[in-house]
Short mmCIF file of all heavy atoms in Angstrom, two decimals:
data_model
loop_
_atom_site.label_atom_id
_atom_site.label_comp_id
_atom_site.label_asym_id
_atom_site.label_seq_id
_atom_site.Cartn_x
_atom_site.Cartn_y
_atom_site.Cartn_z
N GLN A 1 0.83 -1.19 0.00
CA GLN A 1 0.00 0.00 0.00
C GLN A 1 0.87 1.25 0.00
O GLN A 1 1.94 1.28 0.61
CB GLN A 1 -0.90 0.06 1.25
CG GLN A 1 -2.03 -0.95 1.26
CD GLN A 1 -2.89 -0.78 2.50
OE1 GLN A 1 -2.44 -0.28 3.53
NE2 GLN A 1 -4.14 -1.19 2.41
N TYR A 2 0.39 2.28 -0.71
CA TYR A 2 0.92 3.64 -0.54
C TYR A 2 -0.28 4.56 -0.65
O TYR A 2 -0.90 4.68 -1.72
CB TYR A 2 1.98 3.99 -1.57
CG TYR A 2 2.65 5.31 -1.25
CD1 TYR A 2 3.73 5.36 -0.39
CD2 TYR A 2 2.15 6.51 -1.76
CE1 TYR A 2 4.32 6.57 -0.04
CE2 TYR A 2 2.73 7.72 -1.42
CZ TYR A 2 3.81 7.74 -0.56
OH TYR A 2 4.38 8.95 -0.21
N LEU A 3 -0.65 5.18 0.48
CA LEU A 3 -1.94 5.88 0.58
C LEU A 3 -1.75 7.39 0.56
O LEU A 3 -0.80 7.93 1.13
CB LEU A 3 -2.66 5.47 1.87
CG LEU A 3 -2.84 3.97 2.10
CD1 LEU A 3 -3.53 3.71 3.43
CD2 LEU A 3 -3.62 3.33 0.95
N PHE A 4 -2.70 8.07 -0.10
CA PHE A 4 -2.73 9.53 -0.10
C PHE A 4 -4.18 9.98 -0.05
O PHE A 4 -5.04 9.42 -0.73
CB PHE A 4 -2.05 10.10 -1.35
CG PHE A 4 -1.75 11.58 -1.24
CD1 PHE A 4 -0.54 12.02 -0.74
CD2 PHE A 4 -2.70 12.52 -1.61
CE1 PHE A 4 -0.27 13.38 -0.62
CE2 PHE A 4 -2.44 13.88 -1.49
CZ PHE A 4 -1.22 14.31 -0.99
N THR A 5 -4.45 11.04 0.76
CA THR A 5 -5.82 11.45 1.06
C THR A 5 -6.04 12.92 0.75
O THR A 5 -5.16 13.76 0.99
CB THR A 5 -6.13 11.20 2.55
OG1 THR A 5 -5.91 9.82 2.85
CG2 THR A 5 -7.57 11.57 2.89
N SER A 6 -7.22 13.25 0.25
CA SER A 6 -7.66 14.64 0.07
C SER A 6 -9.08 14.78 0.59
O SER A 6 -9.86 13.83 0.55
CB SER A 6 -7.62 15.05 -1.41
OG SER A 6 -6.31 15.03 -1.92
N GLU A 7 -9.40 15.99 1.08
CA GLU A 7 -10.76 16.26 1.55
C GLU A 7 -11.39 17.40 0.75
O GLU A 7 -10.68 18.18 0.10
CB GLU A 7 -10.77 16.64 3.04
CG GLU A 7 -10.23 18.02 3.33
CD GLU A 7 -10.78 18.65 4.61
OE1 GLU A 7 -11.77 18.14 5.17
OE2 GLU A 7 -10.21 19.67 5.03
N VAL A 8 -12.71 17.48 0.80
CA VAL A 8 -13.47 18.54 0.15
C VAL A 8 -14.61 18.94 1.08
O VAL A 8 -15.14 18.09 1.82
CB VAL A 8 -14.04 18.06 -1.21
CG1 VAL A 8 -15.07 19.02 -1.75
CG2 VAL A 8 -12.90 17.91 -2.22
N VAL A 9 -14.97 20.22 1.07
CA VAL A 9 -16.15 20.67 1.80
C VAL A 9 -17.15 21.27 0.81
O VAL A 9 -16.77 21.83 -0.21
CB VAL A 9 -15.81 21.70 2.90
CG1 VAL A 9 -14.85 21.09 3.91
CG2 VAL A 9 -15.23 22.99 2.32
N SER A 10 -18.42 21.17 1.13
CA SER A 10 -19.47 21.69 0.25
C SER A 10 -19.63 23.20 0.45
O SER A 10 -19.11 23.78 1.41
CB SER A 10 -20.80 21.00 0.59
OG SER A 10 -21.29 21.51 1.83
N PRO A 11 -20.40 23.86 -0.44
CA PRO A 11 -20.67 25.29 -0.27
C PRO A 11 -21.32 25.63 1.07
O PRO A 11 -21.21 26.77 1.54
CB PRO A 11 -21.61 25.61 -1.43
CG PRO A 11 -21.23 24.63 -2.49
CD PRO A 11 -20.91 23.36 -1.73
N GLY A 12 -21.98 24.66 1.71
CA GLY A 12 -22.65 24.93 2.98
C GLY A 12 -21.73 24.95 4.18
O GLY A 12 -22.16 25.32 5.28
N HIS A 13 -20.46 24.55 4.01
CA HIS A 13 -19.51 24.63 5.12
C HIS A 13 -19.27 26.10 5.46
O HIS A 13 -19.17 26.94 4.56
CB HIS A 13 -18.20 23.95 4.72
CG HIS A 13 -17.21 23.85 5.83
ND1 HIS A 13 -16.42 24.93 6.21
CD2 HIS A 13 -16.87 22.83 6.65
CE1 HIS A 13 -15.64 24.58 7.21
NE2 HIS A 13 -15.89 23.29 7.50
N PRO A 14 -19.18 26.47 6.73
CA PRO A 14 -19.04 27.90 7.10
C PRO A 14 -17.87 28.61 6.44
O PRO A 14 -17.99 29.78 6.06
CB PRO A 14 -18.89 27.85 8.62
CG PRO A 14 -19.64 26.63 9.02
CD PRO A 14 -19.41 25.64 7.93
N ASP A 15 -16.72 27.94 6.28
CA ASP A 15 -15.60 28.58 5.58
C ASP A 15 -15.96 28.89 4.13
O ASP A 15 -15.62 29.94 3.59
CB ASP A 15 -14.36 27.68 5.61
CG ASP A 15 -13.71 27.61 6.99
OD1 ASP A 15 -13.86 28.57 7.77
OD2 ASP A 15 -13.07 26.59 7.28
N LYS A 16 -16.65 27.95 3.49
CA LYS A 16 -17.07 28.19 2.11
C LYS A 16 -18.15 29.26 2.03
O LYS A 16 -18.18 30.04 1.07
CB LYS A 16 -17.57 26.89 1.48
CG LYS A 16 -16.50 25.93 1.07
CD LYS A 16 -15.77 26.36 -0.21
CE LYS A 16 -14.50 27.10 0.08
NZ LYS A 16 -13.96 27.82 -1.07
N CYS A 17 -19.02 29.32 3.02
CA CYS A 17 -20.01 30.41 3.06
C CYS A 17 -19.31 31.75 3.06
O CYS A 17 -19.70 32.68 2.34
CB CYS A 17 -20.90 30.28 4.31
SG CYS A 17 -22.06 28.90 4.27
N ALA A 18 -18.24 31.86 3.86
CA ALA A 18 -17.48 33.11 3.92
C ALA A 18 -16.86 33.42 2.56
O ALA A 18 -16.91 34.57 2.09
CB ALA A 18 -16.40 33.02 5.00
N ASP A 19 -16.27 32.42 1.91
CA ASP A 19 -15.67 32.62 0.59
C ASP A 19 -16.73 33.06 -0.43
O ASP A 19 -16.49 33.97 -1.23
CB ASP A 19 -15.04 31.32 0.10
CG ASP A 19 -13.76 30.96 0.81
OD1 ASP A 19 -13.12 31.86 1.39
OD2 ASP A 19 -13.38 29.77 0.80
N ILE A 20 -17.86 32.41 -0.42
CA ILE A 20 -18.91 32.70 -1.40
C ILE A 20 -19.50 34.09 -1.20
O ILE A 20 -19.73 34.83 -2.16
CB ILE A 20 -20.00 31.61 -1.35
CG1 ILE A 20 -19.43 30.27 -1.83
CG2 ILE A 20 -21.22 32.00 -2.18
CD1 ILE A 20 -20.27 29.07 -1.48
N ILE A 21 -19.72 34.48 0.05
CA ILE A 21 -20.21 35.84 0.33
C ILE A 21 -19.19 36.87 -0.14
O ILE A 21 -19.53 37.86 -0.80
CB ILE A 21 -20.50 36.00 1.83
CG1 ILE A 21 -21.71 35.17 2.24
CG2 ILE A 21 -20.73 37.48 2.18
CD1 ILE A 21 -21.89 35.05 3.75
N ALA A 22 -17.91 36.63 0.19
CA ALA A 22 -16.85 37.57 -0.21
C ALA A 22 -16.80 37.72 -1.72
O ALA A 22 -16.68 38.84 -2.25
CB ALA A 22 -15.50 37.10 0.33
N ASP A 23 -16.89 36.61 -2.44
CA ASP A 23 -16.81 36.69 -3.89
C ASP A 23 -18.11 37.17 -4.53
O ASP A 23 -18.10 37.66 -5.67
CB ASP A 23 -16.37 35.35 -4.47
CG ASP A 23 -14.85 35.19 -4.42
OD1 ASP A 23 -14.16 36.22 -4.27
OD2 ASP A 23 -14.36 34.05 -4.54
N SER A 24 -19.22 37.05 -3.84
CA SER A 24 -20.45 37.67 -4.31
C SER A 24 -20.31 39.19 -4.31
O SER A 24 -20.81 39.88 -5.20
CB SER A 24 -21.63 37.26 -3.42
OG SER A 24 -21.88 35.87 -3.50
N ILE A 25 -19.59 39.70 -3.32
CA ILE A 25 -19.30 41.14 -3.27
C ILE A 25 -18.35 41.53 -4.40
O ILE A 25 -18.55 42.54 -5.08
CB ILE A 25 -18.70 41.51 -1.89
CG1 ILE A 25 -19.75 41.31 -0.79
CG2 ILE A 25 -18.19 42.95 -1.88
CD1 ILE A 25 -19.20 41.37 0.61
N VAL A 26 -17.31 40.70 -4.61
CA VAL A 26 -16.37 40.95 -5.72
C VAL A 26 -17.13 41.00 -7.05
O VAL A 26 -16.93 41.91 -7.87
CB VAL A 26 -15.26 39.88 -5.76
CG1 VAL A 26 -14.42 40.02 -7.02
CG2 VAL A 26 -14.37 39.97 -4.52
N ASP A 27 -18.01 40.03 -7.28
CA ASP A 27 -18.80 40.00 -8.51
C ASP A 27 -19.61 41.28 -8.68
O ASP A 27 -19.59 41.91 -9.75
CB ASP A 27 -19.76 38.80 -8.50
CG ASP A 27 -19.08 37.48 -8.80
OD1 ASP A 27 -18.12 37.47 -9.58
OD2 ASP A 27 -19.51 36.45 -8.24
#
């Protein structure tokens, strides 16, 4: 075995909410 892991969060995650709000302002 040689293992490697990555994670993802959905738009509903609070950090992503902050990103989306910020970029809604940029838009």
Side-chain angles (χ1 to χ4, degrees):
Q1 289 183 335
Y2 188 86
L3 307 179
F4 194 91
T5 303
S6 296
E7 73 154 346
V8 167
V9 300
S10 73
H13 186 281
D15 288 333
K16 283 285 96 195
C17 289
D19 287 338
I20 293 165
I21 291 168
D23 277 343
S24 296
I25 294 168
V26 172
D27 283 327

